[in-house]
Amino acid sequence: MKLYYSPGACSLSPHIALREAGLAFEPVLASTKTHKLQDGTDYYTINAKGYVPLLELDNGERLSEGPAIVQYIADQAPARKLAPPAGTMARYRLQEWLNFITTELHKSFSPLFNPAMPEEARALYRAKLAERFKWVDGQLAGKTYLMGEDFSVADGYLFVVAGWGKHVGVDIGGLANLGAFMARVAARPAVQEALKAEGLLK
């Protein structure tokens, strides 16, 4: 398999999932600025959407969109318990989390990374994110991870997205449960490996 990624982008979520699942894959750097691979290939010829992540399977089929990719990865290594079995209520709970993270958190960060976004609008997005993260903090009370004791692909995704806050002025420092969660996830060996591989950890 090949994972097309950009360092620190949302593609870090499936990168973590692949390492947690213990699956063999080749990371392929795809610049989100130039939309070119390191060999000069136009990334739009591989993914017409132009963004990461993209997972190319062994049979050449390509899968895009982070929440779909991480569930595919989890299902390739069921013994790792990165996602509950398909068809169970727990699996729908996982999808509930993935949808919340992708729509309410991930997409609310996008305008903050846009240099053309006026400061008044930035303030609105920061306030919305602060409110959402406060809710997540409450959901983590008394839990090791979002779904309970088992680390899931939703945890990897939340870790990546919440980590963007420090770059755009979204402060999650006062949220004790979320802070403890971030430290727990960061300490996981597979997460450390992914961060090092992307040059995000020395």
Side-chain angles (χ1 to χ4, degrees):
M1 289 192 290
K2 285 182 185 173
L3 175 70
Y4 291 86
Y5 80 100
S6 188
C10 54
S11 48
L12 177 57
S13 163
H15 187 172
I16 288 169
L18 283 161
R19 290 180 185 273
E20 288 280 356
L23 299 174
F25 73 101
E26 178 193 340
V28 181
L29 188 59
S31 171
T32 50
K33 290 188 174 69
T34 66
H35 301 283
K36 289 204 176 348
L37 304 186
Q38 286 181 300
D39 65 3
T41 302
D42 180 356
Y43 182 54
Y44 282 106
T45 63
I46 295 163
N47 182 4
K49 294 172 182 171
Y51 55 74
V52 292
L54 183 79
L55 188 68
E56 187 174 295
L57 311 184
D58 293 339
N59 65 2
E61 202 171 334
R62 289 169 178 160
L63 189 61
S64 66
E65 303 302 328
I69 292 171
V70 295
Q71 289 182 82
Y72 174 84
I73 291 166
D75 287 340
Q76 305 317 298
R80 301 292 176 107
K81 298 203 285 192
L82 295 170
T88 61
M89 193 62 200
R91 181 59 167 253
Y92 298 119
R93 291 292 178 202
L94 176 78
Q95 290 169 349
E96 186 178 32
W97 271 115
L98 290 170
N99 275 286
F100 174 83
I101 297 164
T102 205
T103 58
E104 297 298 320
L105 301 178
H106 183 169
K107 277 301 162 197
S108 295
F109 268 107
S110 300
L112 298 175
F113 286 109
N114 182 346
M117 183 62 63
E119 189 49 49
E120 306 82 63
R122 286 173 187 275
L124 292 172
Y125 279 102
R126 285 193 193 105
K128 182 184 176 187
L129 280 162
E131 190 183 296
R132 295 286 185 261
F133 279 123
K134 188 177 176 187
W135 180 82
V136 172
D137 185 70
Q139 295 300 303
L140 283 165
K143 287 186 196 162
T144 306
Y145 297 112
L146 290 171
M147 303 276 292
E149 289 309 303
D150 290 328
F151 176 88
S152 77
V153 289
D155 297 301
Y157 193 13
L158 175 61
F159 172 78
V160 171
V161 173
W164 295 340
K166 57 185 174 285
H167 303 293
V168 290
V170 176
D171 184 16
I172 59 169
L175 303 173
N177 298 324
L178 184 55
F181 165 87
M182 293 294 281
R184 267 195 298 280
V185 177
R188 294 179 69 86
V191 175
Q192 294 270 312
E193 285 168 21
L195 292 170
K196 280 177 187 152
E198 295 197 11
L200 303 168
L201 199 64
K202 300 228 168 12

